């Protein structure tokens, strides 16, 4: 979800009229109050009754208007029943982050509590037990904030994000746990269970899984369709949602912005069907922010809002997150849908029943708020939570390289340099940090002496036309203005932070604040602690001209939107000295004075030090985030040059990469002795980093996704078929820079011979693999033992390997600890597209046990007594979407409410392998739709193989208007791979080859 942001021209606020309030009160009939002894507790307030009975009672007391009012994110109070407001959606991805204020037009209110490492960092812990503790802390802090202001801090938490990190260029990579569905599902389960608490019936808070589903690109995210063949959907994208829901670790889903197979996820039928089948509990599903309106606007899927809102409810989504605090738009649309017969009251009742079910479980109607009602704000940022945040920050760090025992460090002279050495950044889904321990702070506590430099250039910009320098303000407002005539004036100096691809931020020496253009005003100011907000307005480019002068280009994110004037992106000095936007031709020209060199300063600090620690990385609001994918995985160019210069000055260089995604560190891997990765890990980052660098803790983090050598290793970001395109470690056949599961330690581990509880297992059986792990080093450490499998024989393309189990074990020096890994044969099932069900095939499986997906230490073989999938029977109606392979087709929506079809174009084809055509297949029948006449050929064995028949496809007038057509076949007998080859654009729903 994106936060509400201030509109360039915000509407005036509505004022409340005391006169109207008094008039309504006087007009209301006087209520008779029964004597206290005669009043009875209504059943919905009786905690001894089952939840369903309480919900039924309360639902029966509500009028239709009251029920409809509960469908919006901001649910109003119902005073006559003593029911208060309820707000869905407090963001709590890695700590309570922010919410919105119903009393202030939906303005964002940011928490200032415990900020845990980013989710991708938590993924690197491979530690479900730790994630449960963190979830418990987050649930407690959510309760603490709720106790202080329930109107702002709702207890339905929109977390965790379980979208798989399929493509590391995804702007929201920081929000997910892993590219692997099992690891993601188990960590999400632990986090969700921690949030919910251990009471069997009541909830501490209600976690909601984001974003259903296949949401892994930001480019045109509300218009692109994720094309999911059934195997990818079942074996990959559904898994991280299914695991926590089946284990009662989530209370609903948030639908995503994108389309899936041509249908907006906002109206996915899975919300009311498949997803609810995974849980024995009532689920409360919500839309993403603004998505209901997207059905009408960007997606143009429905003609008007009543139609769209009706479809949302019928699909099984219960709550509308839209139009900020203005619920009247949703209310009116739903009422119109009811009046037009698009909805029945039973549809509203169903959604409200889901909503009330969660509110009852949250203890809202229990005396004292239920078992978690006594939690107060005292828990926020408590000493225990600070200690847990430090543990998490430590455990998520990954040692990527450690040549010659460079780490751990001694307590000698250390140079700490780099643009992230003395700062901590938060991200879009972070709360504010209540305190900060930077890398420099942490190392200073441990090293005997420290030299430091941020390694950034300090410059001054002189208006060539006037000879005056841009100066930062020092007082309230801090507006930039030309005035001084010498760069020796400290107010004229700015530190330049390079974030790559020409983007820089400027920090004013005048007050240490970042420069930007705020709230769409005319002036620029230096008044922000860090780049921030939905439209990041603190980004610039310094564009050198042929004569050596510079243009200052403003590169704020709002310039990517149509409503922003794309021509006015350059800075001009106005007559009064303030800065404003103008066209390139009208822009002022500036001379750039180099006050000091960042590289020179860093080299000076590094020279003579025992070790140089270079801290580089990303700014989470700039280097890819919600609404902005990355186009490169490289470090910023200036940061790379800094590393090279420091390495030349001091061979004993350690690089700390602090960012949220895999990075192409090819030069660094070849030339830097030691490399350590951390996510943006919160207030305790510096303490955690120092504890690892100096050996107080042995690093135990493992990469939760593959780090590639180059963007060329990846297909287009919009290609979601991981099987066909060899995506993720499961199918990737190249050599990664760092493999999935990689992470070094300060000690070494020997894996003993694995012992299997059985060498053979039936399709419903389970085998336990026990592996003795011995610490052969001199330091205690944690090792993540990873079990992968590879299926030797299969009807379909199998992964190169796939994670099936893992165990994190602590081993003292010289000791041996058994790692126990459980593998169910059902975990090995594939989705059989020939019969639309799970199938455990008869095959041998290689069990690969190791310290990463490529560092395999032990092997074993397991025989699985499964089934042999029979040949396809194409005489039965076969869904076109259930192909075995394809070229050039797109999966699309069969209808607007359910079903998948395929859309083909000239030259595209579908393959249906291993078809038994018997003695003869006489005819082909197909359901087709489209707006042009074309043909579909039936060919055998190859796309250009023998032609068995041709379907003449007519125009049906509409892509949803299907017509059944037939054609004769010839020489179609025996066992063949059957290809359907398209010669033009058409949609194909089902087909059959009859005998």
């Amino acid at each position: 979800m994106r936060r509400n942001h201030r509109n360039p021209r915000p509407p005036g606020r509505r004022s409340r009229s005391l006169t109207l309030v008094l008039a309504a009160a006087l007009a209301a009939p006087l209520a008779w109050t029964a004597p206290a002894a005669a009043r009875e507790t209504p059943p919905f307030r009786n905690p001894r009754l089952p939840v369903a009975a309480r919900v039924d009672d309360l639902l029966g007391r509500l009028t239709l208007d009251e029920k409809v009012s509960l469908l919006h994110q901001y649910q109003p109070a119902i005073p006559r029943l003593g029911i208060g407001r309820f707000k869905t959606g407090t963001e709590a991805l890695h700590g309570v982050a922010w919410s919105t204020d119903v009393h202030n037009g939906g303005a964002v209110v940011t928490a200032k509590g415990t900020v845990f490492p980013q989710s991708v960092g938590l993924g690197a812990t491979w530690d479900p037990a730790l994630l449960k503790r963190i979830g418990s802390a987050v649930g407690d802090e959510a309760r603490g904030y709720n106790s202080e202001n329930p109107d702002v801090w709702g207890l339905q938490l929109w977390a965790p994000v379980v979208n798989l990190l399929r493509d590391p260029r995804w702007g929201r990579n920081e929000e997910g746990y892993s590219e692997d569905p099992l690891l993601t599902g188990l960590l999400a389960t632990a986090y969700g269970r921690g949030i919910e608490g251990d009471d069997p019936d009541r909830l501490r808070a209600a976690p909601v899984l984001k974003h259903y589903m296949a949401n892994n690109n930001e480019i045109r995210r509300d218009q692109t369709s994720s094309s999911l063949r059934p195997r990818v959907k079942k074996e990959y994208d559904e898994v991280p949602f299914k695991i926590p829901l089946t284990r009662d670790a989530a209370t609903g889903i948030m639908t995503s912005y994108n389309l899936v197979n041509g249908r907006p996820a906002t109206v996915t039928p899975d919300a009311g069907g498949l997803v609810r089948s995974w849980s024995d509990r009532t689920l409360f599903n919500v839309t993403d922010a603004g998505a209901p309106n997207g059905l009408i606007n960007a997606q143009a899927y429905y003609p008007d809002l009543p139609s769209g809102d009706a479809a949302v409810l019928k699909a099984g989504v219960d709550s509308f997150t839209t139009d900020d605090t203005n619920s009247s738009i949703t209310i009116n649309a739903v009422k119109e849908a009811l009046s037009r017969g698009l909805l029945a009251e039973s549809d509203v009742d169903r959604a409200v029943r889901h909503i009330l079910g969660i509110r009852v479980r949250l203890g809202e109607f229990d005396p004292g708020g239920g078992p978690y009602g006594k939690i107060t704000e005292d828990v926020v940022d408590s000493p225990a939570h600070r200690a847990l945040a430090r543990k998490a920050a430590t455990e998520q760090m990954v040692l990527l390289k450690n040549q010659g025992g460079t780490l751990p460090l001694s307590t000698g002279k250390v140079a700490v340099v780099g643009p992230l050495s003395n700062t901590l950044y938060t991200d879009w889904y972070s709360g504010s940090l209540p305190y900060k321990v930077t890398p420099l702070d942490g190392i200073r506590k441990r090293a005997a002496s420290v030299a430091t430099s941020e390694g950034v250039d300090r410059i001054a910009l002189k208006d060539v036309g006037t000879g005056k320098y841009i100066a930062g303000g020092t007082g309230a407002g801090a507006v930039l203005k030309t005035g001084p005539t010498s760069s020796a004036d400290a107010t004229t100096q700015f530190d330049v932070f390079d974030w790559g691809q020409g983007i820089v931020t400027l920090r004013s020496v005048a007050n240490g604040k970042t420069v930007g253009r705020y709230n769409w005003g005319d002036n620029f100011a230096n008044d922000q602690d860090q780049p921030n907000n939905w439209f990041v307005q603190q980004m610039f480019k310094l564009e050198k001209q042929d004569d050596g002068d510079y243009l200052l280009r403003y590169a704020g994110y709002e310039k990517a939107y149509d409503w922003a004037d794309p021509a006015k992106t350059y800075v001009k000095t106005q007559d009064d000295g303030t800065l404003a936007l103008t066209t390139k031709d009208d822009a002022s020209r500036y001379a750039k004075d180099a006050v000091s060199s960042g590289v020179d300063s860093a080299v000076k600090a590094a020279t003579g030090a025992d070790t140089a620690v270079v801290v580089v990385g990303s700014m989470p609001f700039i280097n890819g985030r919600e609404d902005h994918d990355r186009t490169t995985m490289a470090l910023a160019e200036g940061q790379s040059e800094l590393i090279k210069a420091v390495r030349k000055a001091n061979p004993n260089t350690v690089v700390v990469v602090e960012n949220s995604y895999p990075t192409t560190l090819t030069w660094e891997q070849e030339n830097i002795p030691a490399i350590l990765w951390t996510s943006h890990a919160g207030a305790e980052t510096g303490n955690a980093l120092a504890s690892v660098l100096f050996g107080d803790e042995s690093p135990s983090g493992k990469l939760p996704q593959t780090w590639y050598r180059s963007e060329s290793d990846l297909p287009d970001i919009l290609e979601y078929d991981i099987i066909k395109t060899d995506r993720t470690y499961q199918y990737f056949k190249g050599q990664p820079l760092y493999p999935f599961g990689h992470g070094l330690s300060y000690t070494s581990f020997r894996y003993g011979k694995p012992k299997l509880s059985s060498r053979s297992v039936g399709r419903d059986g389970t085998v336990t693999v026990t592996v003795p792990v011995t610490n052969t080093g001199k330091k205690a450490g944690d090792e993540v033992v990873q079990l992968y499998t590879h299926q030797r024989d299969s009807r379909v393309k199998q992964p190169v390997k796939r994670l099936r189990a893992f165990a994190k074990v602590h081993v003292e020096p010289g000791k041996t600890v058994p790692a126990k890994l459980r593998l169910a044969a059902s975990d090995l099932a594939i989705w059989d597209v020939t019969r639309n069900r799970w199938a455990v095939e008869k095959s041998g499986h290689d069990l690969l046990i190791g310290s990463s997906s490529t560092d395999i230490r032990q092997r074993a073989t397991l025989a699985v007594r499964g089934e042999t999938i029979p040949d396809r029977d194409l005489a039965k109606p076969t869904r076109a979407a259930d192909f075995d392979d394809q070229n050039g087709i797109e999966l699309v929506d069969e209808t607007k409410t359910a079903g998948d079809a395929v859309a083909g174009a000239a030259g595209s084809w579908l393959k249906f392998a291993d078809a038994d055509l018997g003695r003869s297949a006489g005819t082909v029948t197909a359901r087709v739709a489209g707006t042009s006449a074309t043909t579909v050929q039936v060919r055998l064995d190859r796309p250009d193989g023998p032609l068995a028949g041709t379907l003449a496809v007519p125009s049906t007038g509409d892509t949803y208007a299907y017509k059944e057509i037939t054609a004769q076949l010839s020489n179609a007998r025996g066992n063949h791979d059957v290809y359907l080859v398209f010669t033009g654009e058409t949609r194909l729903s089902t087909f059959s080859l009859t005998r």
Side-chain angles (χ1 to χ4, degrees), residues 957-978:
D958 187 89
T959 54
Y960 297 112
Y962 286 89
K963 182 177 182 179
E964 189 171 283
I965 59 174
T966 62
Q968 293 297 311
L969 296 175
S970 61
N971 299 317
R973 61 177 60 88
N975 290 76
H976 294 276
D977 293 342
V978 173

Side-chain angles (χ1 to χ4, degrees), residues 155-224:
L155 290 173
Q156 189 198 49
L157 307 186
W158 287 347
V161 169
V162 298
N163 295 116
L164 296 166
L165 305 184
R166 169 196 66 104
D167 193 306
R169 296 167 296 188
W170 184 35
R172 303 181 76 166
N173 196 84
E174 66 199 28
E175 296 182 36
Y177 292 125
S178 173
E179 71 183 50
D180 181 75
L182 175 67
L183 179 57
T184 297
L186 293 180
L187 293 177
T189 296
Y191 190 69
R193 288 296 297 273
I195 287 172
E196 289 182 351
D198 295 324
D199 188 277
D201 218 29
R202 299 295 184 271
L203 297 166
R204 177 169 24 211
V208 172
L209 304 176
K210 302 194 316 186
H211 311 81
Y212 195 89
M213 65 170 3
N215 176 207
N216 191 226
N217 64 275
E218 298 303 293
I219 180 173
R220 303 188 306 279
R221 62 179 180 167
D222 59 345
Q223 300 170 52
T224 58

Side-chain angles (χ1 to χ4, degrees), residues 47 255 332 400 404 416 421 431 471 526 564 583 694 745 804 821 831 854 876:
T255 55
N332 291 337
L400 298 173
V416 185
S421 62
N526 51 302
T583 63
F694 288 94
S745 172
R804 299 299 185 180
L821 305 161
W831 184 255
T854 62
K876 297 178 180 178

Side-chain angles (χ1 to χ4, degrees), residues 541-545 549-553 570 584 590:
K541 288 188 175 183
L542 289 163
E543 297 182 350
K544 191 173 184 178
Q545 305 301 295
D549 292 340
Y550 285 82
L551 298 181
L552 184 59
R553 180 180 171 188
Y570 288 83
K584 184 176 183 177
Y590 297 97

Side-chain angles (χ1 to χ4, degrees), residues 896-908:
K896 291 194 173 185
T897 57
D900 295 332
V902 299
S908 58

Side-chain angles (χ1 to χ4, degrees), residues 82 88 124 164 319 412 454 475 577 628 659 665 719 765 791 856 860 882 934 946:
T88 70
L164 296 166
S319 179
E454 289 181 295
H628 293 274
N659 66 12
L665 302 174
E719 178 52 74
Q791 184 171 329
I856 302 302
D882 288 331
T934 183

Side-chain angles (χ1 to χ4, degrees), residues 712-778:
S712 64
D713 289 332
L714 296 167
D716 188 276
I717 195 172
L718 297 178
E719 178 52 74
Y720 275 77
D721 190 342
I722 67 166
I723 298 174
K724 187 173 181 66
T725 57
D726 294 333
R727 272 188 180 273
T728 81
Y729 81 91
Q730 291 190 35
Y731 294 94
F732 184 60
K733 296 182 176 67
Q735 292 294 118
L737 180 64
Y738 304 116
F740 173 78
H742 172 74
L744 305 177
S745 172
Y746 291 156
T747 189
S748 55
F749 300 97
R750 183 178 67 242
Y751 285 43
K753 186 176 181 180
K755 181 181 179 180
L756 277 62
S757 59
S758 174
R759 294 284 177 176
S760 175
V761 66
R763 69 178 73 178
D764 298 320
T766 299
V767 62
T768 300
V769 183
T770 305
V771 185
V773 180
T774 302
N775 186 337
T776 57
K778 298 180 180 180

